[in-house]
Amino acid sequence: MTHLGILEEEHSLPEGHGADRIVQWHVFRSRAEAERFADGIQLDAGQELVGGFTRDSLGVLYWVGVHVEDLEQWGNRGAVNKHGASP
């Protein structure tokens, strides 16, 4: 669980559509859910776990994703974000 230090830092949500080379990012209302999701991610070469927290009008949001070196090699830009937080 050493990688979960990423959830300690405040960072805006990814831009979307891969512009920042962050893919498969998911947003959670609870840190525990974000940690469970992060624990299940398997990284390939050229990928790193990224994330953090931010806030909206309902409270804190935690997000976790994968930063890729080469978006074209990764593949489907349409699948960059698959899950948003529920109120």
Side-chain angles (χ1 to χ4, degrees):
M1 280 216 202
T2 57
H3 62 273
L4 296 179
I6 62 170
L7 297 175
E8 298 291 329
E9 298 180 21
E10 188 165 5
H11 292 286
S12 299
L13 294 174
E15 295 175 26
H17 306 293
D20 46 17
R21 297 192 327 251
I22 297 175
V23 299
Q24 297 290 34
W25 58 280
H26 295 241
V27 180
F28 305 91
R29 287 283 173 198
S30 108
R31 182 181 172 127
E33 288 178 300
E35 290 174 352
R36 280 192 296 276
F37 177 74
D39 283 341
I41 294 175
Q42 295 183 3
L43 300 172
D44 287 333
Q47 300 177 350
E48 72 175 313
L49 193 64
V50 293
F53 72 90
T54 189
R55 294 173 176 85
D56 68 2
S57 61
L58 298 176
V60 176
L61 295 169
Y62 294 93
W63 68 272
V64 176
V66 176
H67 183 265
V68 297
E69 286 181 9
D70 183 348
L71 188 61
E72 297 307 319
Q73 183 180 16
W74 179 77
N76 186 358
R77 286 180 183 260
V80 167
N81 181 24
K82 293 194 175 219
H83 179 74
S86 301

